[in-house]
């Protein structure tokens, strides 16, 4: 059972890392539009790059 | 977007003829003084302005633009000081946003954007400026977002840089409400996500302890507690923060809301658990705390999304208004900002484009979709002289329109203002629910205190978990969350039907009404004469008579023209020398023969004396004759609207009494009432009589919904419990009604009644459920039969039930 003393803190650290990733993804606007991106693939991109 | 331009000017056409300006395509004198070598060839220019722009583009190495572009650009004049003024105004108006110290951002509206090459040019040109950090141009919306290093006033140099290459940019408000909403959604989503993640982790750590309470070693138990503590801390400090601030705010306002027991419960349970963790003695409730906060936030998130969606139903329309318009000046077309249009401007609306302002068709024929404004999804046929509303979509072929209202004075803008005003006000039911919630919370706190006293005297070790259960299990959500959610969702559902609740209490009053009064025959009829009967008296047949009448009326744009329009001959007969005599009719020559169409006595002057027409006395009789004699008489009647019959049937099915009150003469009213299926009707009433009728019925206990055009009969409309105005959106601002039904499909009124009743029923269901749940759950918790964990689940599920129930309104 001693391994738990390593694994549980590790799980906590991992959870915090996942939380940080989630915060970043929301802040960068990836959750702003939950419907649009699905439709965007059907639209032509008019801009010239 | 190419369709927005009448002709596409290709680069070859621009370069080949030497008499054309290389930059703008304007013809110039045979031997102009402005010359410059671009891409190895000497080009000529019409003016110093174009030369300067072309030199700038060439010097920056952007000359490939001339190969890529498909249309010529007119240079925007460069006026020193103008951009400084505009930048100062934009900064003062909050249009420039400070994104970081020394970094600012603004949304720009671009004029003169024609094709993809323009986007490339602007982006590349601005990206080279050292102060510009980011620039992106959206060709579809003609908007750009620019971020630069410097202060807000430096917007001036951005605007100038854009003008130097021949475009015009304005700072524009990217609908601050939208930005605010996005910030709220993001914050709520973050809080919810963090709480959900933590609750799953904490649950994972808590379950083993529940299952194997006896064999978990104290060291391991301590480790699990510390791990749970670490993951609960962000939930309490961050995710639950809105509950604490909300509780504090509502306490300061002396109106304790549902946040108060939530805040006390969360803070108390967390403090007790933390104490146990630090001292190593006692129980922990981390799993209950995180689960409780997470599920509550899920409920809030659902409510927030539903409300945002309802609010956006019409706001999205305003955002989709085209920001630019193609203005016609002589033969030239300028792309200008839609806001800068003024009355009388001629604007070209390409096929597939949105109408930029209110106006009248002056050229072309097309079908136009006004779904945004009227909820009518079928495209409407628009011919010369027909009105166009900003925000509607031109479906078929290009139109030229004359602007009658632009910017903030369009119908769409006034509609948006009305809706906004109604959304800001809180309906009576919501105020009542908040009031009830405050009482509920007050009583709950007393119950909790009583429970605490009792258990501290009898079994102090159980006091904390039981008080926590009492605080957490209670659910005032039906009052403080679900009622507003139901009302907002109902408003959104009505909005999609083209029914706008202008007053906050309108939905409730509508649901309670049991007596519907139509305040005039015009509400049930189309309000325009239709051909009801035709009597051929001369040598010509039916079709020929109709074709001649239609041609005469069409040529004169006479008010009765509409009645004849469907019968125009193909091809229509050629009419010459048309004279319209006001109040009498129209005279004209077809194939050399003189015809008159109009009042029988006037028409009779050129033909033999009029035969007496056989027609009901309320109808309009129009006669047609030529110099040789009578041809036909037409009987025109105001016909019943298509939906009037079904509407009356729907209202009957909803068990409502339907009455028609009218100022018209009895025969007309009887005919309309019979056609629509209305049993009760009164004719020849003055406005005051209608008001008195409504008052009498109300004294007998009826709740009256009055349906009219909203322009007349103010006393009766004001007297009624709820008034509904029918009509086109153009008259919107003049209306005084509680509810406005856009478009002319009266059947929507029936749907509106149904939605309102369903809303009220759902609010009642929710309140009933909440009362039953709390009456059972709180005593059970107080006597110690509900564990804190079960309490958090019960409360959260109860919230989700009432909110889910409220959101059912959004469907169907």
């Amino acid at each position: 059972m001693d391994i738990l003393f390593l694994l549980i803190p590790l799980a906590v650290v991992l959870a915090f890392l996942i939380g940080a990733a989630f915060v970043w993804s929301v802040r960068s606007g990836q959750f702003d539009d939950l419907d649009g991106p699905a439709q965007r693939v059907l639209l032509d991109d008019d801009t010239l790059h | 977007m190419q369709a927005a331009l009448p002709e596409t000017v290709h680069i070859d056409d621009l370069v080949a003829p030497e008499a054309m300006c290389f930059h703008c395509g304007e013809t110039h004198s045979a031997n102009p003084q402005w010359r410059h070598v671009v891409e190895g060839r000497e080009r000529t220019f019409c003016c110093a302005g174009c030369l300067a722009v072309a030199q700038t583009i060439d010097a920056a190495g952007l000359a490939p633009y001339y190969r890529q572009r498909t249309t010529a650009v007119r240079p925007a004049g460069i006026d020193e000081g103008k951009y400084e003024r505009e930048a100062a105004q934009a900064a003062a108006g909050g249009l420039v946003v400070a994104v970081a110290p020394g970094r600012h951002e603004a949304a720009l509206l671009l004029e003169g954007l024609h094709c993809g090459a323009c986007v490339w040019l602007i982006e590349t040109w601005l990206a080279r400026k050292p102060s510009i950090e980011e620039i992106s141009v959206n060709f579809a919306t003609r908007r750009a977002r620019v971020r630069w290093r410097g202060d807000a006033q430096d917007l001036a140099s951005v605007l100038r840089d854009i003008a130097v290459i021949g475009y015009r940019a304005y700072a524009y408000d990217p609908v601050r409400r939208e930005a605010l909403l996005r910030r709220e959604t993001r914050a709520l989503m973050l809080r919810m996500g963090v709480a959900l993640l933590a609750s799953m982790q904490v649950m994972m750590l808590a379950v083993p302890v529940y299952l194997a309470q006896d064999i978990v070693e104290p060291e391991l138990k301590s480790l699990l507690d510390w791990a749970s503590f670490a993951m609960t801390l962000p939930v309490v400090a961050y995710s639950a923060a809105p509950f604490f601030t909300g509780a504090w705010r509502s306490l300061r306002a002396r109106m304790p809301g549902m946040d108060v027991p939530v805040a006390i419960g969360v803070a108390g349970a967390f403090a007790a658990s933390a104490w146990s963790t630090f001292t190593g003695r006692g129980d922990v409730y981390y799993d209950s705390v995180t689960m409780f906060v997470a599920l509550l936030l899920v409920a809030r998130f659902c409510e927030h999304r539903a409300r945002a969606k309802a609010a956006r139903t019409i706001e999205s329309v305003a955002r989709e208004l085209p920001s630019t318009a193609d203005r016609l000046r002589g033969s030239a077309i300028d792309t200008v900002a839609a806001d800068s249009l003024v009355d009388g401007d001629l604007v070209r609306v390409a096929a597939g484009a949105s109408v930029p302002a209110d106006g009248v068709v002056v050229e072309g024929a097309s079908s136009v979709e006004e779904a945004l404004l009227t909820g009518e999804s079928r495209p409407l046929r628009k011919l010369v002289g027909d009105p166009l509303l900003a925000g509607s979509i031109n479906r078929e072929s290009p139109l030229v329109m004359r602007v009658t209202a632009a910017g903030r004075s369009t119908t769409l803008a006034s509609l948006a203002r009305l809706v906004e005003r109604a959304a800001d006000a809180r309906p009576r039911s919501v105020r009542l629910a908040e009031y009830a919630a405050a009482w509920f919370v007050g009583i709950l706190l007393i119950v909790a205190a009583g429970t605490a006293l009792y258990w501290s005297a009898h079994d102090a070790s159980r006091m904390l978990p039981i008080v926590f259960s009492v605080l957490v299990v209670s659910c005032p959500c039906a009052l403080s969350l679900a009622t507003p959610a139901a009302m907002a969702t109902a408003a959104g559902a009505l909005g999609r039907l083209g029914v706008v609740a202008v007053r906050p209490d309108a939905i409730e009053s509508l649901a309670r009404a049991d007596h519907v009064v139509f305040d005039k025959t015009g509400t049930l009829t189309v309000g325009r004469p239709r051909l009801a009967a035709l009597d051929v008296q001369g040598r010509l047949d039916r079709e020929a008579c109709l074709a001649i009448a239609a041609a005469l009326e069409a040529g004169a744009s006479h008010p009765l023209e509409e009645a004849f329009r469907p019968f125009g001959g193909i091809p229509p007969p050629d009419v010459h020398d048309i004279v319209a005599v006001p109040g009498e009719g129209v005279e004209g020559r077809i194939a050399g023969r003189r015809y008159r169409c109009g009042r029988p006595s006037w028409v009779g002057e050129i033909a033999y004396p009029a035969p007496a027409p056989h027609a009901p006395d309320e109808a309009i009789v129009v006669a047609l004759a030529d110099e040789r004699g009578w041809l036909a008489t037409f009987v025109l009647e105001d016909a019943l609207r298509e939906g009037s019959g079904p509407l009356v049937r729907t209202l009957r099915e909803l068990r409502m009494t339907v009455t028609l009150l009218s100022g018209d003469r009895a025969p007309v009213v009887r005919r309309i009432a019979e056609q629509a299926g209305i049993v009760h009707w009164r004719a020849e009433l003055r406005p005051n009589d209608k008001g008195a009728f409504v008052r009498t019925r109300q004294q007998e206990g009826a709740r009256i919904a009055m349906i009219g055009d909203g322009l007349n009969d103010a006393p009766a409309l004001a007297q009624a419990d709820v008034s509904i105005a029918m009509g086109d959106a153009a008259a919107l601002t003049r209306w005084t009604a509680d509810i406005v039904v856009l478009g002319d499909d009266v059947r929507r009124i029936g749907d509106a009644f149904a939605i309102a009743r369903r809303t009220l029923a759902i609010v009642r269901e929710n309140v009933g459920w909440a009362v039953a749940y709390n009456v059972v759950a709180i005593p059970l918790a107080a006597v110690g039969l509900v564990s804190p964990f079960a309490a958090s689940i019960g409360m959260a599920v109860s919230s989700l039930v009432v909110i889910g129930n409220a959101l059912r309104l959004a469907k169907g």
Side-chain angles (χ1 to χ4, degrees), chain A residues 1-2 4-6 8-9 11-12 15-16 18-20 22-24 26-32 34-35 46-49, chain B residues 1 68 116-117 119-120 123 137 139 182 186 189-190 193-194 197 201 204-205 217 219-220 223-224 227 230-231 234 238 305:
Chain A
M1 292 294 250
D2 285 351
L4 285 178
F5 287 88
L6 172 67
I8 289 173
V12 173
F16 273 90
I18 293 167
F22 174 70
V23 169
W24 169 79
V26 172
R27 289 250 165 92
S28 64
Q30 298 184 37
F31 285 88
D32 282 357
L34 300 174
D35 317 310
D46 270 326
T47 51
L48 183 114
H49 286 290
Chain B
M1 277 296 138
Q68 296 280 352
V119 173
W120 176 80
E123 285 190 345
V137 177
F139 179 60
R182 200 174 59 212
R186 276 188 190 180
M189 194 171 248
L190 274 177
V194 167
L197 181 70
Q201 298 300 314
M204 202 176 72
L205 299 174
E217 301 153 31
E219 294 81 24
L220 189 57
L223 174 70
L224 289 171
M231 279 184 295
Y238 174 68
R305 255 179 82 96

Side-chain angles (χ1 to χ4, degrees), chain B residues 440-653:
Chain B
F440 178 88
V441 169
I443 292 168
L444 177 72
L445 292 177
I446 293 169
V447 170
T451 313
L453 273 178
Y454 174 85
W455 284 102
S456 63
H458 288 80
D459 185 354
S461 69
R462 296 187 64 194
M463 184 194 85
L464 260 173
I466 289 177
V467 171
F468 177 55
S469 292
V470 168
L471 287 174
V472 161
V473 84
S474 64
C475 179
C477 289
L479 301 168
S480 54
L481 272 186
T483 304
M487 287 297 173
T489 314
L494 288 175
R496 274 193 293 281
L497 273 181
V499 177
V500 180
V502 181
R503 301 265 159 79
D505 293 335
I507 295 178
E508 223 180 312
S509 315
L510 196 63
R512 293 182 195 280
D514 55 9
H515 196 135
V516 177
V517 174
F518 290 94
D519 87 337
K520 49 170 37 190
T521 42
T523 317
L524 291 165
T525 60
V526 284
R528 291 180 299 270
R530 288 278 155 88
L531 190 64
L534 162 68
D535 193 6
V536 179
Q537 286 141 340
R539 314 166 304 280
L540 293 174
D541 65 5
R542 215 182 126 82
E543 279 67 37
C545 289
L546 279 169
I548 291 170
L552 284 169
E553 297 283 352
S557 27
H558 193 270
L560 295 179
E561 182 231 329
E562 238 175 292
F564 290 101
R565 197 188 289 167
F567 307 106
I570 303 168
D574 248 347
V575 190
H576 302 281
D577 307 331
I578 289 190
V579 187
V581 182
E584 302 286 2
V586 191
E587 185 183 305
R589 269 177 200 285
I590 296 173
R593 189 170 290 164
R594 192 155 69 118
Y595 290 88
R596 270 187 180 185
C597 182
R599 256 162 61 119
S601 59
W602 178 72
V603 171
E605 289 169 16
I606 64 159
Y608 303 106
H614 307 287
D617 55 353
E618 79 273 10
I620 305 165
V621 177
V622 175
L624 175 71
D626 66 6
E627 288 155 315
R628 293 194 295 168
W630 284 85
L631 295 171
T633 49
F634 308 99
V635 179
L636 305 181
E637 267 179 2
D638 197 359
L640 201 66
R641 282 181 204 260
E642 219 180 299
S644 294
L647 169 65
V648 173
R649 271 202 300 284
T650 311
L651 294 177
R652 284 255 181 82
E653 279 163 18

Side-chain angles (χ1 to χ4, degrees), chain B residues 413-426:
Chain B
S414 10
L415 182 65
R417 277 201 297 279
L418 271 182
V419 173
E420 221 166 274
R421 209 178 57 198
D424 288 345
R426 285 178 310 169

Side-chain angles (χ1 to χ4, degrees), chain B residues 97 99-100 102-108 126 129-136 144-150 158:
Chain B
V97 186
V99 284
R103 295 203 164 81
H104 285 78
E105 194 177 281
L108 303 179
L126 282 189
K129 301 281 161 194
S131 67
I132 305 282
E133 279 204 326
E134 208 182 305
I135 161 88
S136 69
R145 180 163 289 281
V146 194
R147 178 188 298 191
W148 66 93
R149 270 185 291 275
V158 177

